[in-house]
Amino acid sequence: MTIRNLDDLLAEGVSGRRVLVRADLNVPLDKQTGAITDDGRIRAVLPTLTALTGAGAKVVVFSHLGRPKGAPDPQFSLRPVAARLGELLGAQVRFAEDTVGESARSTVGALADGEVALLENLRFNKGETSKDEAERGAFADQLAALGEAYVDDAFGAVHRKHASVFDVPARLPHVAGRLVLREVEVLAKLTGEPERPYVVVLGGSKVSDKLAVIEALLPKVDRLLIGGGMCFTFLKAQGHEVGTSLLEEEMVETCRNLLERADGKILLPVDVVAADAFAPDAAHDTVRADAIPSHRLGLDIGPETVAGFAAALADAKTIFWNGPMGVFEMAAFANGTRGVAEAITKAGAFSVVGGGDSAAAVRALRLDETDFNHISTGGGASLEYLEGKTLPGIAALED
């Protein structure tokens, strides 16, 4: 795979040129105030943007936010993102009220060398996510007309065959941005010959979301630690009752087969924090994983499991972590995620956090991001990469 990168574009000269940058600015917003609650994805694109503005490019940034239905929806506007991006860049970011309409054309046309514009949410246009190639292509034509070169720095979206990710680069000179290049380099280490022991930690809600990556990783890893809501389907597969915990009944037999094939590589919780209800103030205590009361649900792994997982991580040389160990957003059920995260940092291994909720947990729990070698910006994209899938956005950048 050969991908041209940002340095190649800068070497050609970008001063005065309109450069389109596909970013992943899909940040979480407070439902009440609309304020950005985690600006990690905005910060992640700054190295690419500052390199371009410093070289005199007219930078046109575009992104999606949330899941609007192909039409403008104020709750998914990128306007607050434009304001935060301007604060982080220390310069005004011009904001277009649409994506390919009159506002976008006039906003881009007014850019001076070294300035930045942000277009409104790509998904306000049906063509962005359309499965109809003609409709998607027509939208890509309009986007491409705004620029003279294309930079993809939206790793969190490269697994989507969307107009801004897959079709626009076919219409313009294209390169990978700093972030995308780093993501691919790091994940390539995990799919190549990682230093051993290689330990993977998986959490999150559903086994079905992680089944493909478990299947792909099981032959390659030395140990696979499973927590989060998905662990209860595995515990059920072992014959244990799980009370009212999250359970994918249709996946029990699949989990049983995985455990049989794993040859002892899969480690499951031995104790869990079980609560009366899914609520931050619910009554709760720690119980053995094979003795969860029928009226309770597990919301975190217990301290004995944290200690066991920490021991399994201690000698690791390579670690990949995707998915929290419990409902970390509630303080009473955050200890498992915190304990495992701290164990990962203490191991001294090459450690990769696989984006999504894991990255959010690192920041929400105020852990030091620099203690990890890499925190991915794309949970779904990183998992699909490890599964060995072809990612449309990466394929579109290949020469």
Side-chain angles (χ1 to χ4, degrees):
M1 181 174 65
T2 303
I3 297 177
R4 297 178 73 241
N5 62 56
L6 186 63
D7 289 334
D8 297 318
L9 181 63
L10 293 172
E12 296 169 0
V14 294
S15 181
R17 298 175 67 189
R18 288 174 284 112
V19 179
L20 304 182
V21 178
R22 176 49 162 109
D24 179 9
L25 306 178
N26 186 27
V27 295
L29 303 174
D30 185 280
K31 291 182 180 180
Q32 303 299 322
T33 66
I36 296 168
T37 58
D38 181 354
D39 65 2
R41 284 179 169 166
I42 304 176
R43 292 178 181 274
V45 77
L46 294 180
T48 289
L49 298 185
T50 54
L52 287 167
T53 55
K58 300 175 180 180
V59 182
V60 183
V61 184
F62 49 106
S63 175
H64 70 284
L65 177 66
R67 297 181 181 273
K69 305 300 183 182
D73 185 336
Q75 68 174 317
F76 297 118
S77 174
L78 281 166
R79 183 176 287 280
V81 175
R84 181 58 180 150
L85 180 58
E87 291 172 358
L88 293 171
L89 287 172
Q92 179 191 8
V93 171
R94 298 176 183 267
F95 182 67
E97 302 285 346
D98 55 33
T99 308
V100 292
E102 178 55 38
S103 179
R105 290 190 295 271
S106 61
T107 301
V108 171
L111 283 175
D113 294 359
E115 287 190 336
V116 179
L118 175 63
L119 309 183
E120 186 53 285
N121 195 332
L122 286 163
R123 292 185 183 174
F124 287 178
N125 304 266
K126 290 182 180 178
E128 167 65 2
T129 60
S130 177
K131 289 182 171 54
D132 182 281
E133 293 197 5
E135 183 177 25
R136 209 176 61 237
F139 181 54
D141 287 340
Q142 292 177 292
L143 284 170
L146 297 172
E148 299 165 78
Y150 171 90
V151 179
D152 190 343
D153 218 27
F155 183 75
V158 294
H159 59 314
R160 306 294 187 193
K161 194 174 183 180
H162 291 170
S164 64
V165 174
F166 183 75
D167 300 279
V168 175
R171 290 156 168 78
L172 292 171
H174 48 268
V175 301
R178 299 261 194 263
L179 174 62
V180 164
L181 189 65
R182 171 64 177 160
E183 294 270 16
V184 171
E185 288 174 345
V186 166
L187 292 174
K189 287 186 178 182
L190 300 183
T191 55
E193 295 293 334
E195 193 175 356
R196 295 184 178 279
Y198 177 22
V199 182
V200 170
V201 183
L202 293 180
S205 301
K206 298 179 178 180
V207 177
S208 54
D209 291 342
K210 304 284 172 70
L211 178 61
V213 78
I214 293 172
E215 293 272 12
L217 288 174
L218 204 50
K220 302 176 182 178
V221 303
D222 296 290
R223 292 184 284 276
L224 178 59
L225 319 182
I226 294 179
M230 63 188 288
C231 78
F232 298 106
T233 304
F234 279 94
L235 291 171
K236 182 74 171 180
Q238 288 185 321
H240 305 315
E241 291 304 319
V242 296
T244 59
S245 304
L246 186 64
L247 176 66
E248 290 182 280
E249 193 71 53
E250 70 281 5
M251 296 298 295
V252 170
E253 185 60 31
T254 300
C255 290
R256 186 175 294 118
N257 291 335
L258 283 170
L259 290 169
E260 290 173 356
R261 290 160 40 204
D263 195 27
K265 287 183 181 180
I266 295 178
L267 278 68
L268 295 174
V270 294
D271 62 344
V272 301
V273 180
D276 286 344
F278 188 88
D281 57 351
H284 60 276
D285 54 24
T286 300
V287 300
R288 292 201 56 77
D290 59 2
I292 301 173
S294 61
H295 67 286
R296 287 195 153 184
L297 71 162
L299 295 180
D300 195 12
I301 59 173
E304 190 176 337
T305 300
V306 171
F309 281 10
L313 289 161
D315 68 343
K317 293 294 187 290
T318 306
I319 299 171
F320 175 73
W321 168 36
N322 181 283
M325 298 292 98
V327 188
F328 70 90
E329 298 90 344
M330 301 178 188
F333 312 112
N335 291 333
T337 301
R338 181 187 298 279
V340 169
E342 290 175 346
I344 291 171
T345 64
K346 291 174 183 175
F350 177 76
S351 57
V352 179
V353 180
D357 288 338
S358 312
V362 168
R363 290 187 280 268
L365 298 175
R366 300 186 183 281
L367 302 172
D368 189 341
E369 295 183 43
T370 63
D371 285 342
F372 303 91
N373 290 91
H374 182 69
I375 298 180
S376 178
T377 55
S382 62
L383 289 178
E384 290 195 17
Y385 191 101
L386 294 182
E387 289 168 29
K389 288 185 177 180
T390 297
L391 306 184
I394 300 300
L397 297 176
E398 292 180 17
D399 288 329

